[in-house]
Amino acid sequence: MRVVIAGGHGKIALLLERHLAGRGDTAVGLIRNPEQAAALRAARATPVVCDLEHTDVTQVAAHLDGADAVIFAAGAGPGSGAARKDTVDRAAAALLADAATRAGVHRYLLISSMGVDNPPAAGTDDVWAAYLRAKLAAEDDLRGRDLAWTVLRPGRLTDDPPTGRVTLTRHAGRGAISRADVAHVLVALLDEPRTTGTTLELVGGPTPVADAIHATLT
């Protein structure tokens, strides 16, 4: 399987790339900074410099040629302002979907966030509110497309070691999840096309990942 990952230098993306490479798949990571390429190579991924804020659908589609799936793992990141929450977390996700359609890549996984369904409470930090609005807009845009999409909403992310056990459901409740377990779940979702058209929340839990994926199908 050839998988193109937007935001290829992110913490989840690097773990995901190692996981894919470890089982013989090809991971391609889209990055905006050429200096990040060495980290991707160390994860046995192929780096491609492509700044999703400063490109067009034709160029992105060219990078998706021959891919079996795309994963949107990009984000404006800590320290960015409200404007970049929109240009990255929303607009870049939509651009990747446009490019996937043009390139004939049907499978699309979107990493979103818990809490996007609820309007930001009064007094919420403006940047955080912009982030939640951008993630929800990206989800809504994807749901309107003719793609085999799955939305994954992790809880609070940690750098803890993976447990291989999670709670994965449409309404998981608040909780934390390691980035390594998120990467594991993303690979499992790639392998299960019957999760297409679902929005799933993910936190740590008692259920092995394979069983948790299977339970979402019943």
Side-chain angles (χ1 to χ4, degrees):
M1 182 182 295
R2 182 178 180 86
V3 183
V4 179
I5 303 163
H9 188 254
K11 289 183 178 182
I12 292 174
L14 289 169
L15 292 163
L16 176 59
E17 288 154 5
R18 291 188 182 96
H19 195 145
L20 289 167
R23 65 179 207 162
D25 292 323
T26 299
V28 178
L30 304 183
I31 55 176
R32 65 185 181 89
N33 183 351
E35 294 180 359
Q36 298 169 340
L40 271 71
R41 293 190 186 99
R44 293 189 288 166
T46 301
V48 173
V49 178
C50 177
D51 185 347
L52 293 174
E53 290 180 278
H54 300 96
T55 188
D56 60 35
V57 65
T58 301
Q59 293 182 24
V60 180
H63 297 314
L64 304 188
D65 185 47
D68 299 291
V70 297
I71 299 177
F72 188 82
S80 60
R84 291 200 67 228
K85 301 305 183 189
D86 184 70
T87 58
V88 178
D89 293 276
R90 179 198 61 79
L95 176 61
L96 185 67
D98 288 339
T101 299
R102 182 170 295 196
V105 182
H106 204 49
R107 191 73 169 114
Y108 187 123
L109 304 187
L110 173 69
I111 303 176
S112 185
S113 176
M114 278 194 178
V116 300
D117 281 333
N118 302 315
T124 299
D125 175 77
D126 288 345
V127 175
W128 179 248
Y131 170 78
L132 293 176
R133 286 193 295 267
K135 285 297 187 188
L136 180 58
E139 290 187 11
D140 289 343
D141 173 81
L142 190 57
R143 292 188 186 101
R145 295 176 181 269
D146 185 22
L147 292 170
W149 58 265
T150 302
V151 173
L152 183 65
R153 295 174 171 176
R156 180 176 57 82
L157 295 169
T158 75
D159 292 321
D160 293 338
T163 66
R165 295 178 176 270
V166 301
T167 295
L168 180 69
T169 183
R170 285 167 176 78
H171 303 287
R174 296 291 181 177
I177 183 75
S178 74
R179 290 177 173 87
D181 281 323
V182 175
H184 188 174
V185 169
L186 287 166
V187 172
L189 289 171
L190 284 174
D191 290 341
E192 182 44 86
R194 290 178 294 172
T195 59
T196 292
T198 59
T199 299
L200 301 170
E201 296 186 349
L202 174 66
V203 295
T207 308
V209 169
D211 293 341
I213 296 285
H214 180 74
T216 67
L217 305 175
T218 60

